[in-house]
Amino acid sequence: MLSFYPGPSQVVPETGDYMIEALDSGILSMNHRSEPFMKLLAKTKKVIYKKLEVPPDYEILFTSSATECWEIIAQSLTVELSYHIFNGAFGEKWFNYTRKIHSKTVGLKFDPEIELSPANLDFSQPSSVLCLTHNETSNGTRLKMEVMQLFREAFPEPLIAVDATSSMAGDLLDFQLADVWFASVQKCFGLPSGMGIMILSPRAIERAYQIGDNKYYNSLPFMLENFRKNQTPYTPNILSIYLLYRTLQDRASISKVNNQLRKRHEQLEKVISKQTRFAFLIKNAAVRSVTVTALESTPKNVKSLKKTALEHGFLLGNGYGEWKESTVRIANFPAITRQEWKELRDFLRSTLAGDNS
Ligand SMILES: *Cc1c(COP(=O)(O)O)cnc(C)c1O
């Protein structure tokens, strides 16, 4: 079966080979302060800088998940409150997690159909941390880099933190436009779940040391101290780190990957434009995500499409949150091969056009 679920999602086809390689190399039985492990960590960070085009003065940390990154930002980078701007379930979840730690945290919900702009926001100058969701996995919207740039220009003072969980390693991100970027590996990286990646600007690092949080096992200064030595605060999932290393090593440059995903997205738009049973949940094409698409119809049609897809060996994603019954979601992630995407496209074309009931 082939999964188009937007997380956990289809793992890269080479996962089994890489796992055997890891096992044979002996790295899985190594102490995490040993030379071989430190080398692996250094190589893994290096391949992330290279393949994702991370600026050299940014620092890379690993966590257990994107959710842990939400908590680290609240604990180690936030003074009193943060500002959360969101249009869907994941951005809202981040806001709600943070509120438990900082009760004055401000949340601002915007219409998923509109192109977000700092000019339309009704708070003047946020301080501390401004939190944006780059790719909202629940409804298939994303922020263009032009929008991120406007935010950086309008709000020079706060740190800008960006949840790029379902776009990092698939979409083109200009890391210079924000201070904290994070993702987990079970989306565009195409790896088994259970690991997060956090990327910090020099300003974010400076802020972490100024605040000096040291209460938790994942307090940022303590994390940084370890990762700078190519170690980790706790025994990490060495297998995940190895898989991340090998997957990125074998992957094309991010611009190539992104070109391919953009083409696929256009093909999907074409297929949908030629039938009437399903529509894009998001009508404004300018704000649609490239990596996650939500298609809308009646709950009956949604159910039937998912069932027919399964019979053909395709797992489509359920809707999420308020769109649970009325949408299917389709992941356009790099682990899905050219051929597999074509098979899905052909399936959708014939199934959606064939029966107009
Ligand atoms: C999947 C997802 C998360 C949660 O990821 P975990 O690895 O479960 O913590 C957070 N934000 C977005 C945008 C997501 O798509």
Side-chain angles (χ1 to χ4, degrees):
M1 197 194 46
L2 191 61
S3 174
F4 291 87
Y5 219 104
S9 50
Q10 186 69 32
V11 295
V12 296
E14 298 83 5
T15 303
D17 299 339
Y18 297 153
M19 281 178 166
I20 290 167
E21 252 180 56
L23 190 62
D24 288 347
S25 75
I27 191 72
L28 301 182
S29 307
M30 284 289 176
N31 181 279
H32 64 294
R33 316 257 171 233
S34 71
E35 203 57 41
F37 174 78
M38 292 193 286
K39 272 198 183 133
L40 171 64
L41 193 71
K43 286 193 296 191
T44 309
K45 288 195 289 191
K46 200 166 158 201
V47 77
I48 296 173
Y49 281 111
K50 179 162 178 243
K51 289 292 165 77
L52 300 188
E53 297 175 10
V54 177
D57 57 347
Y58 278 49
E59 292 194 40
I60 298 170
L61 306 171
F62 300 145
T63 64
S64 64
S65 62
T67 304
E68 189 188 347
C69 297
W70 290 344
E71 185 158 296
I72 291 173
I73 292 164
Q75 287 172 176
S76 292
L77 291 171
T78 303
V79 180
E80 211 175 329
L81 79 167
S82 46
Y83 296 78
H84 296 248
I85 305 172
F86 54 84
N87 71 10
F90 283 98
E92 186 162 19
K93 232 174 166 177
W94 183 5
F95 166 57
N96 284 325
Y97 271 64
T98 306
R99 258 204 307 188
K100 290 193 237 170
I101 297 176
H102 299 286
S103 59
K104 289 185 192 153
T105 291
V106 174
L108 202 74
K109 197 167 181 174
F110 67 98
D111 180 344
E113 292 290 347
I114 65 147
E115 187 124 53
L116 186 63
S117 160
N120 306 339
L121 298 177
D122 61 358
F123 53 72
S124 49
Q125 271 299 330
S127 55
S128 187
V129 187
L130 181 67
C131 300
L132 300 172
T133 303
H134 173 253
N135 200 74
E136 180 47 75
T137 320
S138 67
N139 57 24
T141 58
R142 67 145 178 189
L143 302 176
K144 285 199 184 124
M145 284 302 122
E146 290 86 338
V147 172
M148 302 285 307
Q149 173 129 27
L150 291 177
F151 269 88
R152 182 74 288 176
E153 285 162 7
F155 304 121
E157 146 63 19
L159 294 178
I160 299 183
V162 186
D163 183 339
T165 301
S166 54
S167 53
M168 189 188 288
D171 217 340
L172 284 180
L173 305 176
D174 181 352
F175 291 98
Q176 302 279 8
L177 297 178
D179 300 292
V180 184
W181 296 84
F182 59 90
S184 40
V185 296
Q186 74 274 18
K187 314 255 165 113
C188 285
F189 288 90
L191 299 174
S193 58
M195 181 176 168
I197 299 173
M198 195 173 202
I199 299 177
L200 300 169
S201 75
R203 279 183 81 223
I205 292 159
E206 198 187 312
R207 188 75 62 89
Y209 281 108
Q210 264 169 13
I211 294 173
D213 163 46
N214 67 355
K215 292 207 283 286
Y216 311 101
Y217 79 101
N218 57 3
S219 290
L220 260 186
F222 181 53
M223 301 265 291
L224 283 163
E225 190 186 305
N226 276 275
F227 276 88
R228 284 174 172 178
K229 289 189 294 194
N230 293 317
Q231 293 184 5
T232 53
Y234 51 86
T235 319
N237 187 331
I238 301 177
L239 178 59
S240 285
I241 296 173
Y242 189 88
L243 294 177
L244 176 61
Y245 165 59
R246 288 293 286 114
T247 299
L248 285 185
Q249 195 181 36
D250 285 352
R251 195 169 281 185
S253 70
I254 186 67
S255 49
K256 264 197 189 150
V257 169
N258 181 250
N259 268 335
Q260 195 190 10
L261 299 187
R262 283 215 317 267
K263 271 190 210 130
R264 291 177 181 184
H265 180 71
E266 284 162 20
Q267 293 163 352
L268 187 57
E269 292 193 309
K270 217 180 234 166
V271 171
I272 297 308
S273 73
K274 291 196 171 133
Q275 54 76 58
T276 53
R277 258 168 100 195
F278 277 79
F280 281 93
L281 170 66
I282 301 300
K283 311 302 171 215
N284 178 1
V287 299
R288 275 181 210 147
S289 161
V290 174
T291 52
V292 179
T293 294
L295 298 176
E296 180 183 45
S297 189
T298 61
K300 181 167 161 266
N301 280 345
V302 165
K303 226 175 168 177
S304 140
L305 179 65
K306 285 192 295 197
K307 184 165 167 276
T308 315
L310 262 189
E311 287 160 10
H312 285 74
F314 304 122
L315 176 67
L316 303 183
N318 290 337
Y320 197 94
E322 62 184 291
W323 301 287
K324 195 168 175 52
E325 307 292 328
S326 60
T327 61
V328 283
R329 290 178 305 151
I330 297 176
N332 175 19
F333 291 165
I336 294 156
T337 66
R338 203 178 291 266
Q339 178 59 27
E340 289 165 346
W341 184 261
K342 185 178 175 302
E343 285 164 19
L344 176 76
R345 218 171 67 219
D346 292 345
F347 162 76
L348 288 175
R349 197 184 282 126
S350 60
T351 308
L352 295 180
D355 173 9
N356 268 307
S357 64

